[in-house]
Amino acid sequence: MNSSARQRRLTAAALTALAVTVTASACSSGSGSTGTESAGSGTYTVWDPYPQFDKTSAWAKLLDRCGTKAGVKIKRTAFDTSDLGNKTLLAAQQGNSPDVLVVDNPVVSTLAEAGVLTTTDDNKLDTSKVDPNLLAAGQSRGKTYGTPIGANTLALYYNKKVLKQAGVDIASVKDWKSLTAALHKAKKAGKKGITFSAIGTEEGSFQFLPWFWGAGAELTELDSAQAVSALSLWKDWLKNGYAPDSVLNNTQTTSWQEFASGDYAFAENGTWQLANAEKAGLDYGVLPVPGTRGGSAAAPTGGEFVTIPAQKDTARYTTSQKLTACLTSTANLYDTDTTLSYVAPTGEVQDKQVAAKPELKPWVEAVKAAKGRTSDDLGTKYPKISEQLWKAVQSALSGAKSPKDALTSAQAAAE
């Protein structure tokens, strides 16, 4: 696609969709692609959402190594996740896109539909080893835009000491009925049941989705009987005192802090809390979120995609492809995903992770069952749907509306 056509597609609608999609999980001079240097040499720019990693970090050193291997220098700029998408849209409008962009996976379809990213057909990225359910988060209208660098998702942490005191055998927790029975026993033993985040933001939708999908609901029909059953489950937990009223305002961080107090039997949270779990000294285990009738529910995937933005000088794609292939090679994925507390996007690296750290096995199982929020070709429709979903959750849990009425209103607004 030529530059002027791309710029026509960078609409206010794309900016609005991006602003709603991006949540919390400096500006560069761009690629220099309009300069006179050869496409196979010189400086290539990389933008990423990892400001916590400075130039001495393993991530920054990996970028430099991949640049050296490709025969170019790397100019890296790190942004907060919430800024990166909008900065990328602005750079594309100005014809100043980075050569390689590492971006939160729900943003990929928005950037793709705005004409900012190249497809794997254009840039020749090999995604054949990537798990299809993870790759789907970077697909739109039958095209693939980049490759995942890793994934995180949600599961249930459980406190072994609390469950023992409550007389709960974790092997008995296989579906919603048995989970609710475990919460009842925990409360009866003087402990607390489960904590999660139901805040009125994308985090609230993110945490509700495993239960929504675990009921068999679809994001295109927010008011289905299955969706109502999922929201009724959460509502009943609050009504019966199995979950605290604080979930209405809990972020995933504050929800974790509640669990770390040692009083809760369960907490819904992500792989990113593993280090905190070790630090808290809890005797904990991890269980994939169960579906309503058993099995692992699909939880939403977090994590980033490595993408190649569109350039005027298409000859640059060859080197950008080399950089991306290096960053997502088997050896480098293992090191990077260990640093980021991610599950790798390929079976080969997942096996290596579990062999080195067996406690990652339930997380690998959860990731294998996970689903992209923009999958099912929702693309830029997802942000609007998600906003109505979290509003429905808030409305039902606060008592303003019944779960059925809240979701009926959400579906009407989403349409």
Side-chain angles (χ1 to χ4, degrees):
M1 184 184 297
N2 64 49
S3 178
S4 59
R6 276 204 317 276
Q7 289 175 15
R8 285 196 298 272
R9 292 184 61 188
L10 297 175
T11 63
L15 284 162
T16 301
L18 192 62
V20 176
T21 301
V22 178
T23 63
S25 89
C27 195
S28 165
S29 61
S31 67
S33 59
T34 57
T36 57
E37 61 191 18
S38 166
S41 63
T43 299
Y44 275 63
T45 55
V46 177
W47 288 5
D48 68 53
Y50 310 131
Q52 70 271 34
F53 298 138
D54 64 18
K55 63 183 180 181
T56 67
S57 66
W59 169 249
K61 290 177 180 177
L62 172 60
L63 289 174
D64 288 338
R65 286 200 305 274
C66 288
T68 299
K69 185 177 179 181
V72 298
K73 290 183 178 180
I74 298 297
K75 182 176 182 180
R76 176 211 175 205
T77 306
F79 298 85
D80 287 330
T81 299
S82 55
D83 291 335
L84 182 55
N86 288 327
K87 289 288 198 304
T88 301
L89 281 170
L90 181 61
Q93 285 178 316
Q94 297 170 341
N96 199 26
S97 294
D99 291 291
V100 176
L101 173 70
V102 185
V103 67
D104 197 18
N105 75 67
V107 179
V108 173
S109 59
T110 298
L111 295 178
E113 290 183 32
V116 173
L117 304 178
T118 60
T119 70
T120 51
D121 291 336
D122 297 329
N123 58 44
K124 310 306 178 188
L125 276 177
D126 180 7
T127 60
S128 59
K129 292 183 179 180
V130 178
D131 287 353
N133 65 314
L134 301 182
L135 191 63
Q139 294 174 327
S140 179
R141 299 176 182 174
K143 299 290 186 180
T144 302
Y145 297 85
T147 187
I149 200 166
N152 55 30
T153 195
L154 297 166
L156 296 180
Y157 287 84
Y158 59 88
N159 186 316
K160 294 180 180 180
K161 183 179 177 181
V162 170
L163 292 185
K164 184 177 181 181
Q165 291 172 338
V168 174
D169 178 4
I170 192 61
S172 70
V173 180
K174 297 179 177 179
D175 52 22
W176 289 6
K177 184 178 179 179
S178 55
L179 174 59
T180 301
L183 301 181
H184 174 74
K185 287 184 177 180
K187 184 187 176 187
K188 195 174 179 181
K191 296 297 182 179
K192 297 177 180 178
I194 186 169
T195 180
F196 49 87
S197 169
I199 195 170
T201 69
E202 176 63 20
E203 277 188 85
S205 292
F206 188 75
Q207 289 244 317
F208 183 59
L209 280 173
W211 311 96
F212 182 87
W213 284 331
E218 298 289 341
L219 286 169
T220 51
E221 191 179 352
L222 296 180
D223 57 350
S224 68
Q226 294 91 336
V228 172
S229 72
L231 189 48
S232 297
L233 177 75
W234 273 19
K235 175 69 175 176
D236 289 345
W237 283 352
L238 263 69
K239 183 177 70 176
N240 292 315
Y242 301 156
D245 290 338
S246 59
V247 299
L248 277 160
N249 298 308
N250 270 349
T251 64
Q252 292 178 110
T253 298
T254 55
S255 168
W256 177 260
Q257 290 166 350
E258 289 180 335
F259 181 68
S261 70
D263 290 331
Y264 282 86
F266 294 92
E268 182 185 5
N269 227 297
T271 47
W272 53 90
Q273 300 292 5
L274 282 170
N276 289 329
E278 300 291 343
K279 202 178 295 181
L282 296 172
D283 187 10
Y284 74 93
V286 177
L287 179 75
V289 176
T292 182
R293 294 183 180 84
S296 295
T301 56
E304 290 79 40
F305 264 61
V306 188
T307 66
I308 298 176
Q311 302 287 347
K312 289 180 181 177
D313 182 2
T314 58
R316 296 182 72 84
Y317 297 156
T318 299
T319 299
S320 296
Q321 187 272 345
K322 289 178 183 177
L323 293 171
T324 302
C326 177
L327 292 172
T328 57
S329 69
T330 296
N332 289 333
L333 275 178
Y334 178 78
D335 292 339
T336 299
D337 290 338
T338 299
T339 298
L340 297 171
S341 292
Y342 280 171
V343 170
T346 67
E348 183 179 3
V349 184
Q350 290 167 2
D351 291 343
K352 190 176 178 182
Q353 287 180 305
V354 172
K357 199 171 183 180
E359 57 266 37
L360 285 176
K361 186 176 180 182
W363 288 110
V364 170
E365 291 175 6
V367 163
K368 283 186 176 296
K371 184 175 179 178
R373 283 165 277 176
T374 58
S375 296
D376 300 329
D377 220 24
L378 288 177
T380 53
K381 297 175 187 174
Y382 173 75
K384 186 175 182 180
I385 293 170
S386 175
E387 182 178 8
Q388 297 311 317
L389 187 60
W390 82 58
K391 285 180 176 178
V393 169
Q394 285 267 304
S395 182
L397 298 192
S398 68
K401 291 183 179 179
S402 69
K404 187 176 188 304
D405 288 347
L407 288 167
T408 298
S409 297
Q411 180 62 25
E415 290 173 349

